[in-house]
Amino acid sequence: MRDGLDEARALLPGVTLRDAKQLHASGRSTVWRVRARWPDADETTVIVKRFADADEWFIREAAALATCSSHAPTAQLLLESSAPPLVVMTDVGTGPSVADALRGSDPAAAAEAVRQWAATIGRLHRTTMGHREQFRAALGQRSGELLLGESRMSLAVDEAARLLEQQCLQLDVTVPPHALQELRELPRRLSGDAAAISPDDACPEDNVWLGDRLMLVDFEGAQWRHVAWDVAYLTVPWPTCHCSWKMPSDVASRALESYRAELEHELPYVREPQFRADVAAAALGWSLISTAWYLTSALSDDEHDATTPSRRALVLHRLDVARHVDEPAAAAELAARLRAELVDRWGAVQLGYAPAFDEGAREH
């Protein structure tokens, strides 16, 4: 297999694939951009994504792309195969990402990129929130003997609660009664009709500009969940991402307004006080989930490079976000107690702003 695309060629008889350029490779998948000449002589570029296994990640991405309409800000699925596990999709372009803007030197451009990200997430929610049954069916058609739920949030909070219990025991931090149960109950609290397809890891790196529109890429973890889980990426911020610096509050506020404007006619709830409370609860959830992920390594060392924040700074910032949430109260108190213990150990390590918003960094 000279360029890795023999399997794709076998699935596309009559289509010439050439000039393959590898864009990404991991233990989970490999992605190429390829020039494709179709039998009618039209030539375009397409994206070929080959998965290591026909596992959950392949199934979720194929199911999500099959469910999303042409109005969704995603690539369109052209072809899929489970043996071998691969998807062929439209090419949404080669432009920069929101993360590039955050790492840049122009605060206005970074603020606009964040605003566009929020509007794009809103567009994804608006175009998919009525398609729960279609997504369920798409998962079921591809999962075979695998038991895949439409959402993965219950697994995430259960694992986080288990880890936090162990970590608090290690640190001699008393867990308030019901705190971990409140964390486990968040997916049930954040349920109902205000839900849509989510890419899961809505990182500012997982998008690309197509002209003046932002397109979302990477749906390997796609799931059906309450919209507040994605919106809370603005207020944590970016809980599952490496480029998780702080943003100015006015940048997040304007972005949130763009999200609401995208959805308010179809989902008036986004203008209601309950929406803000639900986003705060989701932010608490993400803060504790990501603290559970990072705390063990942060306790052992704080090594990091200049392109990412330190894990100690991330943990302290996220626990600070969580401790100021009104409800669920016991989980917020857990965050306060854990943060106090860590500040005693590390000092009050501060999370810096993204380079585009950091005046000191821009001066250098």
Side-chain angles (χ1 to χ4, degrees):
M1 187 180 295
R2 182 169 299 175
D3 59 8
L5 296 175
D6 288 356
E7 294 160 325
R9 291 187 178 96
L11 296 169
L12 290 166
V15 179
T16 301
L17 301 180
R18 64 182 183 87
D19 296 342
K21 178 182 179 182
Q22 185 172 299
L23 303 180
H24 172 78
S26 70
R28 187 178 292 174
S29 61
T30 304
V31 183
W32 296 270
R33 173 175 286 113
V34 187
R35 299 200 67 82
R37 183 176 292 280
W38 305 90
D40 60 5
D42 288 340
E43 188 172 69
T44 60
T45 57
V46 297
I47 300 298
V48 177
K49 188 168 187 176
R50 170 65 154 92
F51 291 80
D53 298 291
D55 56 11
E56 176 175 2
W57 315 113
F58 160 72
I59 292 166
R60 289 190 179 277
E61 179 139 33
L65 293 178
T67 304
C68 288
S69 73
S70 60
H71 300 293
T74 64
Q76 297 299 297
L77 183 66
L78 299 175
L79 175 78
E80 64 176 287
S81 165
S82 59
L86 63 81
V87 294
V88 181
M89 58 191 119
T90 56
D91 184 2
V92 296
T94 59
S97 68
V98 173
D100 292 323
L102 293 172
R103 294 190 184 104
S105 58
D106 186 339
E112 175 60 14
V114 173
R115 190 193 69 77
Q116 289 275 10
W117 176 91
T120 302
I121 291 292
R123 195 171 304 120
L124 175 68
H125 290 170
R126 176 173 55 79
T127 56
T128 63
M129 64 182 185
H131 296 353
R132 182 176 191 172
E133 293 305 320
Q134 293 94 317
F135 182 58
R136 279 179 173 173
L139 284 174
Q141 290 164 4
R142 293 162 175 81
S143 59
E145 296 181 357
L146 287 176
L147 297 177
L148 296 183
E150 63 185 35
S151 174
R152 302 174 63 239
M153 294 312 300
S154 291
L155 295 174
V157 295
D158 284 348
E159 176 64 8
R162 184 186 66 80
L163 289 172
L164 285 170
E165 186 172 31
Q166 295 174 352
Q167 291 158 345
C168 286
L169 182 63
Q170 174 189 349
L171 294 168
D172 198 25
V173 172
T174 301
V175 177
H178 311 300
L180 296 178
Q181 186 58 33
E182 286 181 349
L183 175 60
R184 290 187 175 98
E185 288 176 354
L186 277 177
R188 183 178 59 81
R189 169 180 169 170
L190 298 174
S191 60
D193 294 335
I197 288 178
S198 167
D200 181 37
D201 184 7
C203 179
E205 292 180 329
D206 291 335
N207 50 73
V208 63
W209 290 100
L210 180 61
D212 60 354
R213 293 187 66 198
L214 196 66
M215 305 294 284
L216 302 173
V217 299
D218 192 357
F219 280 71
E220 289 181 1
Q223 59 180 300
W224 186 268
R225 68 184 180 195
H226 195 284
V227 299
W229 289 109
D230 285 346
V231 178
Y233 267 58
L234 293 169
T235 55
V236 174
W238 320 120
T240 60
C241 312
H242 297 297
C243 45
S244 304
W245 301 281
K246 284 196 301 185
M247 293 188 296
S249 59
D250 62 324
V251 171
S253 296
R254 287 195 295 269
L256 180 58
E257 179 58 30
S258 290
Y259 175 85
R260 284 172 161 152
E262 189 68 40
L263 267 173
E264 60 187 344
H265 295 298
E266 289 84 358
L267 192 63
Y269 152 79
V270 299
R271 291 292 183 189
E272 298 172 2
Q274 187 60 46
F275 172 69
R276 185 173 293 276
D278 288 343
V279 171
L284 178 146
W286 279 130
S287 295
L288 291 178
I289 290 167
S290 57
T291 291
W293 291 341
Y294 298 145
L295 182 53
T296 298
S297 61
L299 286 167
S300 62
D301 64 65
D302 199 29
E303 293 183 4
H304 64 99
D305 58 40
T307 64
T308 59
S310 80
R311 290 198 168 180
R312 290 181 181 178
L314 285 177
V315 166
L316 291 182
H317 178 75
R318 290 173 184 182
L319 291 174
D320 192 48
V321 170
R323 72 180 175 135
H324 287 104
V325 173
D326 292 333
E327 292 291 340
E333 175 60 22
L334 169 60
R337 293 182 186 184
L338 184 53
R339 185 179 186 278
E341 171 62 27
L342 295 174
V343 168
D344 283 345
R345 289 171 175 261
W346 301 336
V349 185
Q350 297 295 309
L351 178 65
Y353 285 99
F357 302 124
D358 187 337
E359 292 183 4
R362 295 201 305 273
E363 290 172 358
H364 294 84

